[in-house]
Amino acid sequence: MARQGDELRLEWEETGGPVIVVSPSALGFGSVLTERSIIGQLGGKIEYDWQRSGLKLRITVPLDRLSV
């Protein structure tokens, strides 16, 4: 997690699970909640990078939308 200018950036990486052959075609419950919170409520963005070894996720949120 890092502050870059007027944004908070968080990178998440999942590894050790089964090999990902194809990116999921639908969002699961956790992804739906995450998108509603980050995008809908905080005006941020989420980037999904599905790799064979696991998911890399990048979340960016404007600092003025957070209580920091």
Side-chain angles (χ1 to χ4, degrees):
M1 183 167 38
R3 179 180 178 167
Q4 292 187 348
D6 60 351
E7 296 179 328
L8 176 72
R9 295 189 181 188
L10 171 71
E11 292 190 12
W12 175 270
E13 183 174 353
E14 295 180 353
T15 60
V19 173
I20 298 174
V21 179
V22 175
S23 299
S25 59
L27 295 176
F29 181 70
S31 296
V32 170
L33 289 179
T34 302
E35 288 200 359
R36 286 183 182 172
S37 298
I38 301 299
I39 298 169
Q41 295 179 349
L42 297 174
K45 54 186 173 176
I46 303 173
E47 299 173 52
Y48 298 92
D49 183 7
W50 293 97
Q51 300 183 354
R52 289 183 56 82
S53 60
L55 170 64
K56 286 188 176 183
L57 185 69
R58 288 173 211 87
I59 297 174
T60 306
V61 177
L63 286 173
D64 65 355
R65 299 297 296 263
L66 302 173
S67 296
V68 291

